[in-house]
Amino acid sequence: MSYVYIVFSPLTLHSINDHPMKKFLILFSTIIAMAACNAQTAGVQNLEQNKLEEKLKEDNVVLIDVRTPGEVASGYIPKADYFININASDFEQKIAELDTTKTYVMYCRSGARSGRAANFMVQKGFKTVYNLQGGILGYKGELKR
C-alpha cells in the first residue's frame, strides 16, 4: 500500500514528490546511512594477499592465526606471531592481553573467523586491525609446519 502525502502551501497544492526539499532530504539521509555503516567497521580493513609481506615489514605489525590447533598443525604462515583460537574459551582473555596500539593482521582458513576476531578487537579498542582476505586458503607462500 502506498500513501500520497499532500503539502499545502498558500499558493499551490502539490505532492511531496514535487517538493524542492525532497532531493536534499534523500541526499542527507543517504550520507547519514553511509556514515553509520562506515562507523561500524572503522579500524578493520581487508588486506589483500599480495600486500601481506609488505605489511609485515612495517614496525609494530603482529600476525595472528585464529584457527583451531588442528588446523594450525596442518600448516601456518611462517611469520605468525600468535595462535589464538577464536573458538576457545580464553579467546577474549588472550586478546585483552595484547597491546591495543599495535597493528594486527588476522587470518583463519578463509577469512570469516578472522573477520569476526578483527571486529571484536576494534570493539575492544584496538586501533588498527586488518583481516587477511581469503585467509590461509589464498596464501601463495610456503607454509610452516
Side-chain angles (χ1 to χ4, degrees), residues 33-97:
M34 290 173 66
C37 289
N38 287 337
Q40 293 173 355
T41 58
V44 177
Q45 301 173 55
N46 283 321
L47 182 66
E48 296 176 15
Q49 291 281 341
N50 61 354
K51 305 282 187 195
L52 177 62
E53 290 301 319
E54 182 181 324
K55 178 61 65 184
L56 293 176
K57 290 178 184 174
E58 295 176 12
D59 290 336
N60 293 316
V61 176
V62 178
L63 181 61
I64 300 179
D65 185 329
V66 298
R67 298 174 303 146
T68 65
E71 289 175 300
V72 171
S74 68
Y76 59 92
I77 297 174
K79 294 182 181 177
D81 297 294
Y82 292 98
F83 302 92
I84 304 176
N85 179 0
I86 191 171
N87 297 324
S89 60
D90 63 349
F91 171 77
E92 291 182 13
Q93 175 192 341
K94 287 185 176 181
I95 294 297
E97 294 170 0

